[in-house]
């Protein structure tokens, strides 16, 4: 986090309700509410309300992808739209709840996606991120997939070496212009 702040980014970590306790769409709505809250207080915190990215790992990666996509669970309003998505090993095959599959909602108007996934991930197979990358590209959208050799389902394994530079470059390009 300190490195991100040092690169002139504000960082907010959000909590969200689980779908088991509050219903299938509750985690996504919590994420969108957090974006609205940040955007509504942009002046107070000296933020650029038109340059917001979402970034998540595992389930947080799925929620980032859903928040960035058209997410047909409920169309996002302008105040919850984001300008970039970073998805680290987010599952796209949600088991019983098909509505939580971000590949179903991507469109050309979505923000650019950076998808990072370990090629040795046993919890969420790399093919799930490949599926999301393919879905975004098929719409004409902007997606970059980086497979990290030897990495499993571990945020620390994914956030090292070239990936640090890749994330920095991606965010700089799409948020700093």
């Amino acid at each position: 986090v300190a490195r991100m702040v040092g690169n002139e980014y504000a960082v907010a970590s959000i909590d969200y309700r689980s779908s088991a306790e509050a219903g299938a769409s509750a985690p996504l709505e919590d994420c969108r509410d957090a974006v609205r809250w940040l955007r509504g207080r942009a002046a107070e915190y000296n933020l650029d309300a038109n340059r917001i990215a979402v970034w998540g790992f595992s389930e947080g990666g799925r929620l980032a992808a859903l928040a960035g996509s058209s997410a047909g669970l409920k169309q996002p309003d302008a105040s919850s739209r984001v300008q970039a998505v970073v998805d680290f090993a987010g599952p796209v095959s949600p088991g019983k709840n098909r509505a939580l599959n971000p590949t179903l909602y991507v469109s050309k108007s979505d923000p650019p996606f950076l998808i990072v996934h370990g090629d040795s991930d046993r919890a969420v197979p790399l093919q799930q991120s490949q599926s999301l990358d393919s879905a975004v590209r098929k719409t004409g959208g902007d997606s970059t997939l980086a497979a990290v050799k030897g990495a499993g389902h571990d945020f620390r394994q994914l956030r090292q070496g070239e990936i640090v530079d890749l994330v920095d470059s991606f965010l700089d390009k799409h948020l700093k212009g």
Side-chain angles (χ1 to χ4, degrees):
V1 173
R3 195 184 62 67
M4 296 300 295
V5 172
N7 284 343
E8 301 178 1
Y9 290 104
V11 177
S13 177
I14 66 165
D15 288 326
Y16 53 87
R17 297 168 291 166
S18 75
S19 57
E21 72 177 334
S25 64
L28 176 58
E29 286 306 313
D30 291 347
C31 293
R32 288 183 176 159
D33 286 345
V35 171
R36 286 184 198 94
W37 187 91
L38 282 171
R39 187 162 275 126
R41 287 162 182 78
E44 180 182 345
Y45 291 105
N46 197 27
L47 305 174
D48 185 338
N50 296 312
R51 296 177 189 228
I52 296 176
V54 288
W55 181 355
F57 169 71
S58 195
E59 183 60 22
R62 179 202 333 251
L63 290 171
L66 282 166
S69 72
S70 298
L73 298 173
K74 179 181 173 191
Q75 288 298 325
D77 58 38
S79 66
S80 67
R81 291 212 34 101
V82 297
Q83 287 65 53
V85 173
V86 181
D87 169 4
F88 272 31
V92 298
S93 298
K96 292 183 259 179
N97 197 337
R98 191 174 190 279
L100 294 178
N101 183 338
T103 65
L104 300 176
Y105 308 113
V106 294
S107 72
K108 186 176 181 168
S109 65
D110 290 343
F113 280 66
L114 173 60
I115 305 164
V116 178
H117 207 116
D119 70 356
S120 297
D121 190 331
R122 291 187 183 156
V124 178
L126 173 61
Q127 292 80 1
Q128 293 198 28
S129 284
Q130 290 169 330
S131 173
L132 177 59
D133 176 65
S134 177
V136 172
R137 289 172 180 267
K138 281 181 184 172
T139 69
D142 181 352
S143 180
T144 301
L145 173 63
V148 180
K149 188 166 178 57
H153 199 71
D154 182 332
F155 181 77
R156 290 167 299 181
Q157 289 179 340
L158 296 176
R159 182 94 174 108
Q160 61 182 335
E162 294 175 2
I163 298 301
V164 172
D165 294 334
L166 181 64
V167 171
D168 288 349
S169 295
F170 177 81
L171 292 174
D172 287 351
K173 177 181 178 182
H174 296 292
L175 297 182
K176 290 183 178 178

